[in-house]
Amino acid sequence: MQIRAAVLEEFGQPLKIQEIDLAGPAKGEVLVRLEACGVCHTDLYTASGADPSGYAPTVLGHEGAGVVESVGEGVTSLQPGDHVVTLFSPQCRECIHCQSPKTNLCLAIREQQNKGYLPDGTTRLSRDGDPIRHFMGTSTFAEATVMPEIALAKVAPDAPLDRCALFACGLSTGLGAAMFTAKVEAGSTCVVFGAGMVGLGAVAGCRLQGAERIICVDLSDDRLELAKGQGATEVWKADANTVDRILEETGGFGADYTFEATGLVGVMRQAVESARMGWGLCTVCGVAGKGETLDIVPRFLITGRRVCGSSFGGVKGRDQVPELVQRYLDGDIDVDPFISHRITLDDVNKGFELMEAQDGIRSVIEF
Ligand SMILES: NC(=O)c1ccc[n+]([C@@H]2O[C@H](COP(=O)([O-])OP(=O)(O)OC[C@H]3O[C@@H](n4cnc5c(N)ncnc54)[C@H](O)[C@@H]3O)[C@@H](O)[C@H]2O)c1
Ligand SMILES: [Zn+2]
Ligand SMILES: [Zn+2]
């Protein structure tokens, strides 16, 4: 079939919206008609050429939600009409990582996905017979996509798909960092650095876990206001003294849980240093620039602080994205304030501009 899609032709250049070909789903694959897709930093990171593993041409986009149109041979868990959220982090339920409760990093299709291919090593996207590679296994800046069954989470049909799209990346990443990676304990003190989509999700996750104090730190007053809406009990303007202030306000000890959601290695360091001696856990969500490293004075670790990273919030996508969406439907998570702009596929480059200007939290493409 012919679909309209936003193609990255050349790094550093605007995406080009055009008609390309999408082949039907092969064995184990599913054709999804997209209803909505968020514009995320990773798309821009790749489009800019900053990502060393990036390639072109490709169809970007990974924060998608839509409706199953048809399924390939052997697909048993999905059928036409099902509502799905796309997963750049799949869940095969069989590999050694999927079988462990300790990680969400499924090993099943990693290698081919990173190279831009579906699991069988080919693409369903093409133009004039020339293959176009997939991006993050999702390629959701398009009217439709073909994805492996193991990379789609079936969600409640009554959940609006524009809201569901945010669970495909940013929101689940933040929520999950608090709920599944850090497993915040009730009554604890948490500090979240950064109040973008990921940090705001982490604030909401801390609240859902029953944290007593949730301090959110950012440079933007508007974003700090949103953090209050997600459950931050205190909001602070970021400055060079943030670590000292956290220590002062916690009897000199530091916070039980800290979360970094800025992508800045200097802030990651602050998050480590403001974690409590004895048991403080710092969870790093941000993606740092190429070649950057995180400086930690080892004394902070010897005295009982721990540091861990979190990819997609530790969320096991097929099992837990539907659960998070259900919590939204139950009224536990307020998703609407995150959708700041609704745009068409033709305006996808505008979505990038809005993101660079930090105008709003998320632009969502509606198809
Ligand atoms: N781990 C994952 O799986 C995953 C998934 C999605 C995004 N990310 C990464 O998470 C990070 C955050 O994503 P986002 O979409 O929320 O980004 P964002 O740019 O919207 O938000 C970052 C926030 O950090 C704030 N900030 C800047 N300097 C600060 C400082 N010194 N102290 C406190 N706050 C400061 C900014 O004002 C901004 O509000 C990015 O690095 C992104 O690439 C990771
Ligand atoms: Zn993303
Ligand atoms: Zn797996």
Side-chain angles (χ1 to χ4, degrees), residues 220-274:
S220 151
D221 290 324
D222 291 348
R223 291 185 164 207
L224 289 174
E225 206 49 46
L226 289 173
K228 285 186 200 162
Q230 295 301 321
T233 56
E234 290 153 75
V235 294
W236 297 355
K237 205 70 179 267
D239 62 33
N241 299 321
T242 303
V243 174
D244 289 338
R245 188 166 168 199
I246 292 166
L247 294 178
E248 268 165 37
E249 299 242 351
T250 53
F253 289 118
D256 300 312
Y257 300 92
T258 61
F259 297 89
E260 178 282 330
T262 67
L264 303 170
V265 291
V267 178
M268 292 177 190
R269 181 173 177 163
Q270 290 186 316
V272 173
E273 295 183 356
S274 54

Side-chain angles (χ1 to χ4, degrees), residues 5 29 107 112 198 222 266 272 283 323 332 337 340:
E29 298 172 359
L107 300 169
Q112 294 296 345
V198 175
D222 291 348
V272 173
T283 303
E323 291 170 15
D332 293 339
S340 38

Side-chain angles (χ1 to χ4, degrees), residues 40-43 62-63 88 136 169-170 362:
C40 172
H41 285 277
T42 312
D43 301 306
H62 64 283
E63 216 174 68
F88 64 86
M136 292 176 81
C169 181
R362 268 295 188 269

Side-chain angles (χ1 to χ4, degrees), residues 280-304:
L281 176 61
C282 168
T283 303
V284 174
C285 302
V287 177
K290 184 185 171 189
E292 289 184 320
T293 58
L294 166 56
D295 265 341
I296 301 175
V297 179
R299 174 177 52 83
F300 283 98
L301 303 180
I302 299 229
T303 45

Side-chain angles (χ1 to χ4, degrees), residues 90-99 104-109 150 316:
Q91 185 190 357
C92 76
R93 296 186 173 137
E94 284 166 10
C95 75
I96 184 168
H97 282 187
C98 279
Q99 300 221 332
N104 64 334
L105 297 177
C106 174
L107 300 169
I109 58 174
I150 61 167
K316 287 184 183 276

